[in-house]
Amino acid sequence: MMGERLCELRKDAGMTQAELGELLSLSKFSISSYETGKTTPDDATKVRLAQIFNVSLDYLLGLIDEPAPLRRGEEVLVLPPALPKEARESIRKYIDFMKTTYGVD
């Protein structure tokens, strides 16, 4: 379950296995191994994955089905899991546009 979720989160973020591996100081082969369920990341890596993708550990581990954000607050926008990649990219671009328009980082 975790491997499937990790693969889905990575792809939704438009990230390659190599890019995710670089963020974690791991090889793309390690990421592939996690995604296929051949190995399981250690607890520290699980926490880092939850931080990178802003999801709860419960979601990452398959204990809940809603990707509850790790960081909660007004700044968190929860998108439907089935939202197509193109729609997610449009939302990201719109957010960047609004940041520029209002001069915020």
Side-chain angles (χ1 to χ4, degrees):
M1 174 64 73
M2 186 183 141
E4 294 170 11
R5 293 261 166 102
L6 176 57
C7 183
E8 180 182 307
L9 289 166
R10 177 184 57 77
K11 287 180 179 180
D12 285 349
M15 213 181 281
T16 66
Q17 289 177 337
E19 290 169 334
L20 180 56
E22 190 173 313
L23 288 173
L24 296 166
S25 300
L26 297 169
S27 70
K28 73 176 185 173
F29 301 108
S30 293
I31 303 304
S32 174
S33 181
Y34 296 159
E35 290 182 357
T36 59
K38 291 180 182 173
T39 61
T40 304
D42 62 26
D43 289 347
T45 302
K46 289 175 191 170
V47 169
R48 185 70 182 114
L49 286 166
Q51 291 170 333
I52 289 169
F53 295 114
N54 190 28
V55 295
S56 69
L57 283 170
D58 287 344
Y59 176 75
L60 189 62
L61 297 174
L63 300 174
I64 61 172
D65 290 329
E66 283 297 313
L70 182 65
R71 296 177 296 275
R72 292 171 176 82
E74 283 185 42
E75 70 281 352
V76 174
L77 177 63
V78 179
L79 302 177
L83 196 65
K85 183 179 179 179
E86 297 80 25
R88 291 173 183 276
E89 185 57 32
S90 293
I91 291 168
R92 286 186 190 99
K93 287 179 182 178
Y94 183 71
I95 290 170
D96 288 341
F97 167 76
M98 295 303 289
K99 287 178 179 178
T100 302
T101 300
Y102 292 99
V104 295
D105 286 327

